């Protein structure tokens, strides 16, 4: 997996919330008197809810290792966001599609998607969206070997983070994006450029900053820290780090497989 992204939230909870919204909106359509389909506002709200449902389902499929189904859901999320005329839903779908492309090895496609998303009105107006997209753009540049562009994108992400409006709650799908996640995404970029000491430092920072409820992110970055420690033959630290990784509250085959790989490497180190 390339980064945590929207996984930081409980996918099951998101799916249930989206399903409740869809059911309510369908009921509203049936009750609307004298209006075909319940009127344009209900129709657009319905498409927004369906877009969120597809986004959540896409991440659930991704976590289970089903990339094909995940991509279909993310594409459907974008289509529904367009039908809803909902810029935030579209931004979410574009951000998810960029991660999907990168995870499947299509790094230039991921970069193109990120750049296009950054030109949207939502990215220009919402520093949270901008920070997420710049962070993922940095990883894309790193994977393609453009270290200078990677550094510029990381700086842009940090500047966007500094503009977060902490007085207003973020949309549910962006609640995961905080200082810990910005540090974690920077660590992934540093690792991709071969700057392993910087990657280890940023990963440790992410773990320090993570809230107690972020079980999936803590497991993900704990495994990443152990991998980085293994990379420079610090077996003692890697063993200690891997021992602290708790996956009991995490329903992710990808996470458990990565942890199993770390333990296999430690057993032969």
């Amino acid at each position: 997996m390339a980064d945590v992204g929207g996984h930081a939230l409980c996918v099951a909870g998101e799916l249930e919330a989206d399903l409740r919204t869809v059911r309510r909106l369908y009921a509203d359509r049936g009750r609307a008197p004298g209006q075909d389909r319940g009127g344009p506002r209900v129709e657009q709200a319905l498409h927004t809810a369906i877009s969120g449902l597809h986004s959540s389902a896409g991440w659930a499929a991704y976590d289970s290792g089903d990339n094909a189904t995940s991509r279909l859901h993310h594409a459907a999320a974008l289509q529904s966001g367009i039908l809803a005329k909902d810029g935030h839903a579209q931004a979410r779908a574009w951000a998810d599609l960029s991660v999907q492309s990168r995870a499947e090895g299509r790094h230039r496609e991921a970069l193109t998607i990120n750049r296009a998303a950054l030109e949207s009105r939502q990215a220009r107006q919402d520093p949270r969206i901008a920070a997420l997209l710049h962070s993922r753009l940095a990883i894309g540049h790193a994977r393609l070997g453009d270290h200078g562009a990677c550094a510029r994108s990381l700086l842009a992400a940090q500047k966007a983070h500094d503009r977060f409006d902490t007085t207003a709650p973020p949309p549910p799908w962006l609640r995961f994006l905080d200082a810990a996640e910005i540090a974690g995404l920077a660590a992934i970029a540093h690792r991709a450029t071969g700057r392993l000491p910087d990657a280890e430092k940023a990963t440790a920072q992410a773990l320090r900053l993570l809230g107690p409820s972020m079980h999936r992110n803590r497991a993900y970055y704990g495994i990443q820290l152990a991998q980085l420690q293994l990379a420079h033959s610090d077996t003692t630290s890697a063993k200690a780090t891997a021992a602290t990784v708790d996956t009991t509250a995490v329903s992710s085959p990808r996470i458990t497989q990565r942890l199993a790989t770390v333990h296999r490497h430690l057993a032969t180190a």
Side-chain angles (χ1 to χ4, degrees):
M1 177 178 176
D3 60 63
V4 179
H7 286 277
L9 297 173
C10 175
V11 170
E14 278 200 44
L15 283 167
E16 183 57 35
D18 288 331
L19 280 169
R20 286 197 300 268
T21 302
V22 169
R23 292 189 193 108
R24 176 178 57 78
L25 288 167
Y26 265 118
D28 288 345
R29 289 175 71 185
R31 287 194 295 267
Q35 294 187 53
D36 184 31
R37 299 185 180 181
R41 288 188 179 181
V42 172
E43 189 77 12
Q44 288 177 4
L46 179 60
H47 284 302
T48 292
I50 291 173
S51 179
L53 184 62
H54 278 298
S55 290
S56 299
W59 281 113
Y62 182 90
D63 238 3
S64 70
D66 189 348
N67 284 334
T69 299
S70 178
R71 174 170 281 276
L72 288 174
H73 276 300
H74 290 319
L78 177 59
Q79 182 181 39
S80 294
I82 293 170
L83 290 171
K85 300 179 182 178
D86 186 327
H88 274 271
Q90 293 172 45
R92 179 183 185 181
W94 280 121
D96 291 347
L97 281 167
S98 72
V99 173
Q100 188 77 44
S101 294
R102 190 172 68 245
E104 294 172 359
R106 295 191 295 275
H107 300 302
R108 292 198 181 278
E109 177 181 293
L111 211 63
T112 300
I113 291 172
N114 260 306
R115 284 170 173 157
L118 276 167
E119 294 174 359
S120 69
R121 179 170 59 86
Q122 281 67 37
R124 293 195 300 270
Q125 294 179 349
D126 190 332
R128 290 182 185 273
I129 294 176
L132 177 63
L133 293 172
H134 279 300
S135 294
R136 290 179 174 171
L137 191 64
I139 297 170
H141 285 309
R143 293 280 167 83
L144 291 172
D146 193 338
H147 295 195
C150 173
R152 290 191 294 273
S153 292
L154 288 176
L155 179 60
Q158 188 57 56
K159 287 181 177 179
H161 174 262
D162 292 342
R163 300 198 312 272
F164 280 13
D165 181 1
T166 56
T167 63
W173 72 276
L174 276 175
R175 282 190 210 135
F176 74 95
L177 192 68
D178 55 12
E181 184 68 5
I182 296 295
L185 294 174
I188 295 169
H190 289 315
R191 186 181 184 184
T193 60
R195 299 170 63 92
L196 299 188
D198 289 337
E200 185 173 346
K201 180 180 178 181
T203 303
Q205 180 184 11
L207 286 167
R208 285 195 304 271
L209 294 173
L210 276 173
S213 64
M214 309 298 274
H215 303 296
R216 189 193 190 287
N217 289 30
R218 186 167 297 282
Y220 179 89
Y221 288 125
I223 293 167
Q224 178 166 287
L225 182 58
Q227 290 174 324
L228 289 164
Q229 291 164 338
L230 267 174
H232 57 76
S233 302
D234 187 356
T235 307
T236 301
S237 295
K239 285 182 178 178
T241 300
T244 67
V245 176
D246 181 8
T247 61
T248 56
V250 179
S251 177
S252 170
R254 288 180 184 268
I255 291 283
T256 54
Q257 288 167 12
R258 287 181 65 218
L259 182 59
T261 300
V262 168
H263 282 303
R264 282 198 301 271
H265 287 164
L266 285 170
T268 59

